[in-house]
Every structure is written in structure tokens, then in C-alpha cells.
Amino acid sequence: MVFRLDILMEDGFSRLCNLSSKQLGLKIRTPTAIVPITDFLVEHQAYQTLAQGENLIFKVTNPDQEIPAELKNHFILCNLDTNYYTSEHLPESYLPKTISENMCYFFSKQCPSTFLNDEFAQEWYKVFFDEIVAEINAHPKVIQDINGFGITLNLNNIKDPQIILSLCIQFLAHPQIYDQLLAVEFRGLFDSKMDYVTNVDFFLKLKPYFPADVLFIASGNIKPYEYSFLIYIGFDLIDFTYLLHAGFSGLYYHHEEEMEWIRKLPSIDDFACSCKYCSKISDIFFEHPSSPPVFDDPPLFSAIAFHNSQMGMIEIARIRKNIQQGSLSTYLERKSQFSLFLLSAVRHLQKQYGTAFLEVQNLNKNTLLPCTSSLSYHNPNVEKFKRTVIRNVEPNPNTKICIFLPCSMVKPYSKSKSHRNFRKTIRNATKRWYKCVSEVIITSPIGLVPRELEEVFPAAHYDISVTGDWDAEELTLTAESIVQWIKKLPFSVILIAFLHGGYQQAFELAMQKLNQHTADKFNFIIVNSNEDLDRTLQETIKRFETQNAFKLDEDFLTLEEQSIKVIADFQFGLGAGKRLIGSSARFLVSRNELYKSIVGNESYGKLQLGRYFRNSGHIQLNYQGGERLKDFTECSVVLNTLDITGTTIFKPGIDHIAEKLCAGDEVVILGPNKQYLGVGSLIANSNTILKMRRGAVVKVRKMNKGD
Ligand SMILES: [Zn+2]
């Protein structure tokens, strides 16, 4: 098959790709579905309607299957299931006898109905892999003609697929396999819902050994409410064979607000769908109201089957939209309320793969983050924010007083009535020493938000049901964020907490932890009203003034510079902010309310350094802004060529890329001798880029063509 897979964006492990072929004039967006071509299906009128749907991939399980004329110009996956041996005891060839341009051929072998034991399974797989390598070596011409191939791993009969993990890893290490693999199908891996977690482990442990630009396919007994989970962990294609076949057995996929299941419908009462297939079923029912067991009537099963596939398509479209918006993690949290095995699988991901997900979690987004259950405490967006605050952000070095405030429903917090009052009180009480006060906001589940970061995703985007009741886990997690922040402050700083309820409990828990074992103790005061806050602040200021304690840091930053510094440090890493600011910098409010310009002031004039987008809290660098970060290796991409045309940099042009960068991250582009070239943003995560063989990796925004 002649096609290219372009990753368009990634969020966590999930991704949107384009599968296209110039020669065939085809373009498919993934994630999407695979629909089987069989004589049995093709004869239905509804199948032709389905096949006209544009964004589908088809498959045949028999290479001799006749392809209907209207499907001749679609992407088709062809499974060559072979089990036969010739009279010389050699395996029959896996390779196709004739080659079609629009087909991707899969090496696949039907496994015996059950595996007797682990050794047998291992032996069976070893033989399968050896046979593939032997075929590739024996038929280089055919391999060249088919333009890459797929592999099917038949896993439905293995109790614990991890017993073949090392065999698979060895197999993928063959250069002939690694270089030419286009797609991998995990068949039956998710059939057993009892062993879901084990099977997820197998996939996630094996996945890093594949090139990133292969198509990951899930097939077998998979129901639409699992799709979001599978796509979340990195699958691109879902095989609809099960969904269609279930329909032909009279199993109806049902989707309601609170429930999703697939089963036989006992009566028309349960039937609540308005799709065109269902309206056909209900029409027939209402024509013959005297014969109620409609759903056991085989002639109607095709309508059920196509209803099922329609529901599957709707679900995939919804998932695609959620990836685009950056909200798949919260969508999955809602979905996992439908089923216990999904719920435990999501918990398992959070527990076992937390760090791996965080490394690829992109925070450059502007989407709502509804926190609806305790799963949200460990949502990767939430965790990434918390860790980045602790790792990258330092309190203002001039802080003498740190004020802890509760969050508000209205975001950003300073727009709320309560925060407007807090700030008025603080300014009035501290007057010229206002610059020595830091404000941090306590909240759950994102922990602690320094005032400077209140517009940054997800601080201005999360939403919780405010009941005032905090559970034990929330208290512990929030207290931990407070502890980590206070540890960054000197003991001489006075902590003033204007908190109540759970907020106050979390703060007190943090103070207990902090002051438990040290000789030096932090001094904290809890206040309960604006008057109380005002009085406490005035008294503290007076005391500091008599002690002559206000001494400003030599590199004193203005309040605006402090904001720019904290936001840039959060985004690029500690130290980036000061480099960006240079001698001095400020925000310039633009006519467009969406962003503020960051303008640098030097003796030789003004510099446009970048734009700060208020709806995501993200800085987009200008050419001069990028230049200031050119030695800041945490956000750089080094090219091996100066030969760049257009606005895209492709994988072969990359020499080095900073670790742990995410899709959407702002990067500084350097030439082969580390010379500064310009700025852009990453299309994929740095982990992914390392494992890509080809494809676009950086979108260039401002570029100097080099010398
Ligand atoms: Zn329907």
C-alpha cells in the first residue's frame, strides 16, 4: 500500500492522524473504524450506505474476496491467515499472489483453538515470527512491491500475553520488520474483560518498541464504551466486525445518558434510538403491533447490525472531537462510570503509568476540565499542572508575607467578587509593601495556584461541584501541594491563611507536617474575615518596618515582570523567565482581548518578545523572544540541515530534541552548529518524535533562513 501516516496532534497517548495516498487520491482521519468486507454483509442495502461514508477503512480476511466496485478505491487491510504447510513441510507463503495498490497486507496466523500451556504459546509465536522473517528474506522483490506490511497478533487465547512480550520485542528489533511495518493489529487482546488490566499492560509495555508512525489496531469483542479507553492508550483504528456480527445475532447496542450495554432487547419498551435503522424497525413494529417479539426476528437483525455500527461511528466521532479539544481524559472519566472493568483499568493507568502519561500531557489548551469524581484527583492535566508548579516555579524572592486564599467558582479567580474584595483589602493594608506579598490560591483537585498562574490551563478551566465537603484523599493531596510550596519559602516569611472548611483543614494539615520535626518553625496566622485580614496585615507590616526587615532583592522585578517570569518559568522551565525579560519587560494590552503582547525594553529600544494568550495562559514566542531562549536547552530542537523550505520540519531534518516536550509545546529551533534559527511548535511529543521514521514534527512560525 502506498500511503503516509501524518500525526496531526497528540494529547497524552491519544492522537489524531491523517492517512493519505496521493496516488490514490485518498485521505482518512484517524481514529476511525474498520469495516469488514464479506459477501454476507455486502448484499445488504445498508452496507452500501455505510460504505459511502467517507472516513472508513475496510478489511478482508480472505485475499480472494471479491471487492465491490464502489470499494475499489478505499484503503483495505488484507489479512493473510495462513496455517498450511506444503508437501516439503515448509509453511505456505504469507505473501499475496497478486498485489493491489490500495491494500495493506498483514502477516497473520490463526492460532489453534486453545493454548495448552505457556511453553506451547511461546513456541507457536516463535515459529510464526521466524516464518515471517524467513519470507521477507526470501522474497525481497515482493516485499518491495507491497510497500510495507502489517502484522496481526492473535491474542484471544492467551491467558497472559506478557509471556510472549520478550519474543515480540526481539521480533520488532529486526531491521526488516522495524523499517517496513505499517500497521499492527492486536486481535482479541481485549476480549476477556476479566483480564483487562493484564492485557492493557501487555499493550503499553510493548508499544514503545514499535515505530511511532504505525497504525495501532484493536479488534475482537470490543464495545463502543471501550473505544475512548483504547484510543486514549494509543489505538488508531477499531475493528467493527464484532459490532456488526453482534447485530446479526440480535444483540442491540444501547446508549443512554447513564447506561451503555449490548444485549438482546426483550421488547420495544427498551428501544430508544432515532437512527434510520431503528425507525425502520419501529415502523415494522407499528404495522404489526400484535406480534411483539420484534427483536428476535432475524430479518430485522441487519437493521440492528447497522444501528450498532452507526452508534460506533458516532462514538468515534465524539472521541475525535474530544482529542481535538484536549478533553479526552475527562470524557474517559465519565465513560468509565459505565463499567467496573473500565473504572479499574483507568485507576490502573493512573497508578502504574502516571509518570509516563504526565511526560506526554500537553497543557497548551483551552478546554473545560470538569472534575466529576475522585478519578479527577489524578487526571493527567491536573497532575501535570501540580508537578510543573512545584518543579518550575519559585515564589517571588522578595516575599515577606504569603497569603493563602480559597478558590472561587468564577475563573480566573481575580474576576470573582470574593477575590476582588481580598485584593482590595490586601492592597489597602500593605500599600507600598504590596510587592512583598505573594498570593496563592488553595483548591482541589489542582492543589495550589500562585496568583500569577491563575489564567494558565487548567487553573482557569477546571470545575468542581462546590459542596464544601472534602474527602480524606483531597485533604492529603492538597496539603501536600501546600507543603511543597511553603518549603520554597524562608522561615522568616509570615504565612496568613484566609481559609475556611476543607481549605483550612488542608492548610492546618500541611502546617502540622511542616512544623513536625524541624527546630525552625513557620509562623502562620489564620484569619476569618476581611477585617481580620486587614488588621493582621497592618500589624505584620508595622512589625517588619520597625525591624527594618524590608530589603528588596537586587534583581528586583516589577509585579508585571514577576508575572511574566512565573508564567514563562512554568511553561519553559525554571530560569526561562529571567532570560526572556532581559533588562526589563512588560505586558502590553492589545486591542484583541485574547492576548497581551510581551514587550522588552532595552537601552537600544523596544523588542516584541511574544504573545501571552489569556484563554490558555500560554506564551507564543516572537523571533526575538526565541533568541533570548536559544541557550535554554529544555525547549530546543536542533536540526541537522539548514535546507528548510516551507513551514514544516520533517523527522529526517532533526538532529536532537529536548526530552519530555509535548505536542503543542513552543520550541526554539537551532541549526547544526547550534545557531539560532527561529521558533515553532511541536506537532508530536518528543518521545514520539524519537520513534518516528518519517513525517512532520515541527510547525515553524518565525524563521531566519540561516547564513
Ligand atoms: Zn438506532
Side-chain angles (χ1 to χ4, degrees):
M1 187 193 300
V2 197
F3 77 83
R4 49 186 282 190
L5 182 72
D6 288 304
I7 298 174
L8 302 179
M9 69 167 288
E10 288 189 300
D11 186 22
F13 286 176
S14 66
R15 59 190 194 171
L16 296 177
C17 305
N18 250 346
L19 187 65
S20 62
S21 162
K22 250 193 193 154
Q23 289 93 324
L24 303 170
L26 279 177
K27 195 182 252 183
I28 297 280
R29 282 161 296 142
T30 71
T32 191
I34 299 174
V35 173
I37 305 174
T38 60
D39 293 338
F40 172 66
L41 281 171
V42 167
E43 69 193 29
H44 287 278
Q45 174 86 54
Y47 185 86
Q48 280 144 37
T49 321
L50 182 72
Q52 280 156 13
E54 279 170 4
N55 202 55
L56 285 173
I57 291 189
F58 292 83
K59 77 165 197 178
V60 290
T61 43
N62 169 8
D64 302 325
Q65 168 75 43
E66 199 189 319
I67 310 292
E70 64 270 24
L71 294 181
K72 290 237 159 82
N73 200 25
H74 278 71
F75 285 130
I76 300 176
L77 312 180
C78 177
N79 276 102
L80 297 156
D81 281 335
T82 310
N83 262 338
Y84 309 113
Y85 287 83
T86 62
S87 49
E88 288 101 54
H89 297 287
L90 289 171
E92 224 171 60
S93 174
Y94 286 101
L95 294 169
K97 288 175 188 70
T98 53
I99 294 164
S100 309
E101 281 242 300
N102 60 335
M103 283 209 186
C104 175
Y105 299 95
F106 278 65
F107 289 109
S108 171
K109 188 166 178 162
Q110 277 300 343
C111 45
S113 60
T114 49
F115 280 128
L116 297 172
N117 55 35
D118 292 357
E119 287 80 46
F120 181 68
Q122 285 163 334
E123 187 53 34
W124 190 86
Y125 260 94
K126 196 179 169 316
V127 170
F128 174 47
F129 291 152
D130 287 347
E131 285 171 3
I132 296 173
V133 175
E135 277 250 26
I136 289 174
N137 289 332
H139 302 282
K141 171 83 176 70
V142 189
I143 293 295
Q144 199 190 340
D145 290 348
I146 62 174
N147 256 309
F149 47 79
I151 283 172
T152 299
L153 299 174
N154 282 290
L155 298 158
N156 38 333
N157 286 311
I158 302 191
K159 178 88 178 127
D160 180 1
Q162 298 188 68
I163 58 164
I164 59 159
L165 190 66
S166 58
L167 274 174
C168 293
I169 293 170
Q170 276 168 35
F171 172 65
L172 288 170
H174 280 278
Q176 304 100 309
I177 305 296
Y178 192 89
D179 293 345
Q180 302 188 69
L181 193 63
L182 298 178
V184 52
E185 176 187 2
F186 290 81
R187 190 187 287 176
L189 180 61
F190 302 100
D191 283 9
S192 163
K193 311 305 175 198
M194 297 289 287
D195 304 310
Y196 216 70
V197 164
T198 313
N199 298 331
V200 168
D201 278 342
F202 173 70
F203 174 68
L204 289 178
K205 283 180 187 163
L206 186 56
K207 193 171 168 245
Y209 294 92
F210 286 98
D213 45 358
V214 302
L215 283 165
F216 290 98
I217 303 169
S219 67
N221 174 355
I222 301 168
K223 303 180 176 73
Y225 55 79
E226 294 168 62
Y227 295 174
S228 55
F229 180 84
L230 296 177
I231 291 168
Y232 184 71
I233 62 174
F235 281 98
D236 302 296
L237 299 174
I238 307 274
D239 187 340
F240 272 14
T241 308
Y242 166 79
L243 206 54
L244 285 159
H245 281 203
F248 281 100
S249 325
L251 295 171
Y252 183 87
Y253 174 72
H254 193 81
H255 171 102
E256 270 179 48
E257 266 309 295
E258 296 299 327
M259 267 172 50
E260 279 184 64
W261 36 256
I262 188 156
R263 62 168 162 95
K264 274 201 165 34
L265 281 185
S267 76
I268 198 88
D269 297 340
D270 279 5
F271 169 80
C273 176
S274 55
C275 84
K276 58 187 169 203
Y277 307 109
C278 291
S279 60
K280 193 171 109 192
I281 302 173
S282 65
D283 284 353
I284 295 169
F285 174 76
F286 288 114
E287 278 164 25
H288 311 280
S290 53
S291 49
V294 190
F295 293 102
D296 271 340
D297 186 7
L300 286 180
F301 285 180
S302 69
I304 296 180
F306 291 105
H307 153 87
N308 287 354
S309 70
Q310 178 116 344
M311 294 300 110
M313 283 313 295
I314 291 174
E315 178 64 8
I316 288 183
R318 225 179 256 145
I319 293 166
R320 233 175 7 229
K321 191 153 182 235
N322 274 284
I323 299 176
Q324 208 158 18
Q325 292 171 346
S327 53
L328 187 62
S329 61
T330 43
Y331 183 74
L332 174 62
E333 281 167 19
R334 277 208 304 282
K335 279 280 161 181
S336 60
Q337 307 299 330
F338 293 131
S339 106
L340 283 176
F341 76 84
L342 268 191
L343 188 62
S344 52
V346 174
R347 288 230 163 90
H348 179 73
L349 287 189
Q350 294 186 338
K351 228 171 147 185
Q352 297 299 322
Y353 300 91
T355 317
F357 272 87
L358 291 197
E359 279 181 10
V360 292
Q361 189 62 43
N362 145 32
L363 292 186
N364 176 13
K365 51 176 100 156
N366 169 26
T367 185
L368 286 179
L369 188 81
C371 298
T372 49
S373 72
S374 61
L375 280 180
S376 314
Y377 301 167
H378 301 285
N379 178 290
N381 295 295
V382 168
E383 292 262 11
K384 177 91 177 224
F385 178 84
K386 284 165 81 166
R387 288 204 199 181
T388 312
V389 167
I390 297 308
R391 200 186 55 218
N392 293 2
V393 180
E394 293 291 340
N396 186 342
N398 295 304
T399 303
K400 291 284 170 229
I401 301 169
C402 182
I403 305 179
F404 295 82
L405 299 166
C407 64
S408 59
M409 278 283 277
V410 176
K411 314 272 182 340
Y413 308 123
S414 55
K415 290 250 157 73
S416 73
K417 198 171 166 229
S418 58
H419 277 253
R420 286 206 308 268
N421 283 333
F422 297 151
R423 303 197 79 185
K424 204 166 130 198
T425 308
I426 297 168
R427 272 183 188 274
N428 286 342
T430 55
K431 299 199 173 67
R432 69 193 184 104
W433 298 119
Y434 181 67
K435 50 189 171 289
C436 295
V437 174
S438 303
E439 293 169 44
V440 289
I441 293 96
I442 305 302
T443 182
S444 175
I446 65 172
L448 176 146
V449 181
R451 174 68 77 192
E452 295 88 342
L453 294 179
E454 67 173 5
E455 287 180 335
V456 171
F457 178 85
H461 310 73
Y462 75 103
D463 212 348
I464 40 168
S465 63
V466 186
T467 60
D469 295 327
W470 290 42
D471 66 33
E473 194 183 5
E474 264 180 303
L475 284 176
T476 321
L477 291 170
T478 309
E480 190 49 37
S481 298
I482 301 173
V483 166
Q484 296 298 336
W485 186 258
I486 295 179
K487 277 186 174 169
K488 291 170 178 272
L489 295 165
F491 286 105
S492 59
V493 170
I494 300 292
L495 314 174
I496 300 179
F498 186 0
L499 302 169
H500 57 271
Y503 303 98
Q504 189 179 334
Q505 277 176 278
F507 181 79
E508 284 170 340
L509 197 63
M511 292 318 299
Q512 248 175 42
K513 271 191 158 176
L514 277 161
N515 284 343
Q516 211 166 25
H517 300 297
T518 51
D520 289 322
K521 310 260 184 233
F522 281 101
N523 291 310
F524 67 96
I525 306 165
I526 292 179
V527 298
N528 295 306
S529 64
N530 274 308
E531 293 72 40
D532 207 0
L533 175 64
D534 178 56
R535 195 176 48 248
T536 311
L537 278 171
Q538 296 210 33
E539 283 169 13
T540 313
I541 298 272
K542 222 174 252 162
R543 202 171 62 247
F544 277 144
E545 276 179 336
T546 36
Q547 292 167 356
N548 210 4
F550 287 120
K551 282 194 198 84
L552 295 181
D553 194 295
E554 277 186 16
D555 305 328
F556 179 80
L557 296 178
T558 64
L559 286 171
E560 271 189 25
E561 285 168 350
Q562 173 64 17
S563 288
I564 296 170
K565 174 183 180 290
V566 168
I567 294 162
D569 282 351
F570 177 87
Q571 182 174 331
F572 298 104
L574 185 59
K578 279 216 161 158
R579 285 168 202 245
L580 188 63
I581 291 168
S583 311
S584 86
R586 53 178 295 229
F587 281 128
L588 197 72
V589 180
S590 82
R591 237 172 290 161
N592 183 342
E593 280 191 5
L594 270 181
Y595 66 85
K596 296 192 267 193
S597 295
I598 303 174
V599 183
N601 252 320
E602 298 296 333
S603 51
Y604 51 86
K606 278 190 170 46
L607 291 174
Q608 292 287 334
L609 298 174
R611 280 177 178 179
Y612 167 68
F613 284 86
R614 308 191 67 174
N615 55 10
S616 59
H618 190 84
I619 295 173
Q620 202 175 70
L621 295 170
N622 270 15
Y623 185 80
Q624 284 113 325
E627 195 163 22
R628 295 202 160 174
L629 297 183
K630 67 176 193 266
D631 301 321
F632 195 73
T633 50
E634 274 109 297
C635 61
S636 66
V637 173
V638 183
L639 309 186
N640 55 27
T641 171
L642 287 173
D643 184 21
I644 311 292
T645 48
T647 55
T648 310
I649 295 167
F650 293 88
K651 167 73 191 209
I654 302 288
D655 179 55
H656 178 80
I657 184 159
E659 276 178 16
K660 296 178 188 174
L661 291 177
C662 294
D665 276 354
E666 199 70 4
V667 287
V668 170
I669 305 163
L670 305 177
N673 299 316
K674 305 273 172 81
Q675 67 272 48
Y676 175 64
L677 298 180
V679 288
S681 63
L682 284 188
I683 293 168
N685 305 315
S686 26
N687 268 346
T688 305
I689 292 173
L690 287 179
K691 294 191 183 105
M692 280 166 71
R693 295 164 298 184
R694 54 190 85 87
V697 295
V698 183
K699 237 185 257 156
V700 178
R701 223 179 27 256
K702 295 269 163 63
M703 186 88 152
N704 168 5
K705 282 286 147 82
D707 303 316

